[in-house]
Amino acid sequence: MRKKVIAGNWKMNMLPNEAIKFIQDLTPLVKDTKNEVIICAPYTDLFYTILNAQDTNIKIGAQNMHFEEKGAYTGEVSGKMLKSIGVEYVIIGHSERRQYFAETDETVNKKIKAAFENDLKPIVCVGETLEEREKGIAFDVITKQTRLALDGLSNEQVKNTIIAYEPIWAIGTGKTATADDANESIKKIREEISKIYGKDIAECVIILYGGSVKSSNAKELFNKSDIDGGLVGGASLKAEEFAKIVNF
Ligand code: 13P
């Protein structure tokens, strides 16, 4: 049985004082869950959230990292730096980074490898645009992104990669993929992993759904056979709403 994972992606939101209050408010609301609870915070909140999440079941992740360990890369933050302050997870290849910051399948793959080298668990995002969906090539797009993201990883690393299927047309739009459609896409991703790494490994990989997840649709989505939880944007900014999703 795969564990359910509910990860919040705050994106470019939350000042440190808001982040601290959020963690303090969320702590009692999710303390009894068996699900993995992760908050992916902006760099400027990471240290505060880590301090305040100590001795709780809330894990902290970053939203991006550079693949090099150090050097002349102005404005970048490395996996080693994240690890040094106690970060455990890192989102890699979010569609907003692919769209606005020139993230490619190649840099995604390099970042995943660098995350593992630094003992960080990657949450790797894949997803098709509306145009790709309408052309009928959504499955080709997401299986290709998955294949290229995982290229060259060991079986053990693949097992420990979290994938987030986030159809771009469903992000921040209020449009959610139907639970059946999301499950179908996630099954395709799992089949692709199975073709390359074998069924046993594919069955271990945690694959999340992301795109307008909220407390009112979480249960239906997360009860599907292949959906192992969610990567939650807007609805992760309020502790009570996010807690309801965690406790779906
Ligand atoms: P929304 O939940 O706001 O649609 O965002 C989804 C997302 O991009 C999470 O990474």
Side-chain angles (χ1 to χ4, degrees):
M1 259 294 267
R2 293 183 296 270
K3 194 172 184 170
K4 294 284 184 200
V5 173
I6 319 297
N9 173 11
W10 283 352
K11 308 191 179 183
M12 198 170 72
N13 293 291
M14 299 286 228
L15 296 174
N17 59 330
E18 297 167 322
I20 292 167
K21 178 158 190 317
F22 179 101
I23 298 293
Q24 289 169 351
D25 290 346
L26 183 68
T27 297
L29 303 177
V30 299
K31 69 176 180 12
D32 298 323
T33 184
K34 291 192 184 72
N35 305 331
E36 182 92 332
V37 185
I38 306 168
I39 291 292
C40 297
Y43 293 134
T44 44
D45 292 335
L46 287 173
F47 195 58
Y48 300 101
T49 48
I50 287 163
L51 286 183
N52 280 271
Q54 262 175 5
D55 307 319
T56 78
N57 55 345
I58 303 167
K59 308 278 169 51
I60 302 300
Q63 300 172 10
N64 180 37
M65 58 175 271
H66 197 273
F67 48 79
E68 294 291 349
E69 190 180 298
K70 60 180 176 179
Y73 301 99
T74 303
E76 291 294 322
V77 172
S78 73
K80 190 172 185 174
M81 290 167 171
L82 296 176
K83 187 68 192 176
S84 74
I85 61 163
V87 171
E88 291 185 58
Y89 290 87
V90 57
I91 297 175
I92 292 177
H94 192 280
S95 62
E96 286 152 15
R97 297 217 56 88
R98 293 181 193 249
Q99 188 179 352
Y100 306 130
F101 302 98
E103 191 82 85
T104 63
D105 289 321
E106 190 189 346
T107 55
V108 167
N109 178 252
K110 282 185 179 175
K111 288 178 180 190
I112 297 169
K113 288 176 179 159
F116 279 120
E117 275 163 26
N118 289 289
D119 195 23
L120 295 164
K121 293 176 202 140
I123 302 173
V124 182
C125 302
V126 299
E128 81 282 2
T129 61
L130 186 59
E131 198 189 344
E132 289 162 340
R133 189 176 188 83
E134 284 170 348
K135 274 195 202 149
I137 57 170
F139 291 157
D140 298 336
V141 170
I142 60 178
T143 50
K144 182 173 177 213
Q145 285 174 339
T146 304
R147 213 166 46 239
L148 295 176
L150 301 180
D151 186 45
L153 297 189
S154 70
N155 290 353
E156 205 50 34
Q157 288 171 334
V158 172
K159 261 194 207 172
N160 286 299
T161 301
I162 296 179
I163 294 180
Y165 166 60
E166 300 205 311
I168 294 169
W169 49 270
I171 295 177
T173 57
K175 286 187 199 147
T176 321
T178 67
D180 284 330
D181 277 352
N183 199 45
E184 215 43 47
S185 297
I186 288 178
K187 271 190 184 165
K188 290 282 177 217
I189 293 170
R190 204 179 296 290
E191 273 168 31
E192 187 69 18
I193 299 173
S194 179
K195 275 188 218 157
I196 306 169
Y197 299 94
K199 193 168 186 327
D200 289 354
I201 289 176
E203 286 301 320
C204 292
V205 178
I206 290 174
I207 311 183
L208 312 178
Y209 167 77
S212 300
V213 173
K214 35 190 185 281
S215 59
S216 57
N217 59 23
K219 188 170 179 175
E220 194 194 352
L221 286 162
F222 302 168
N223 278 335
K224 289 286 165 192
S225 62
D226 280 69
I227 305 182
D228 302 320
L231 183 56
V232 185
S236 73
L237 295 171
K238 295 263 179 331
E240 266 187 31
E241 170 68 3
F242 185 64
K244 281 188 200 159
I245 298 172
V246 170
N247 298 316
F248 70 95

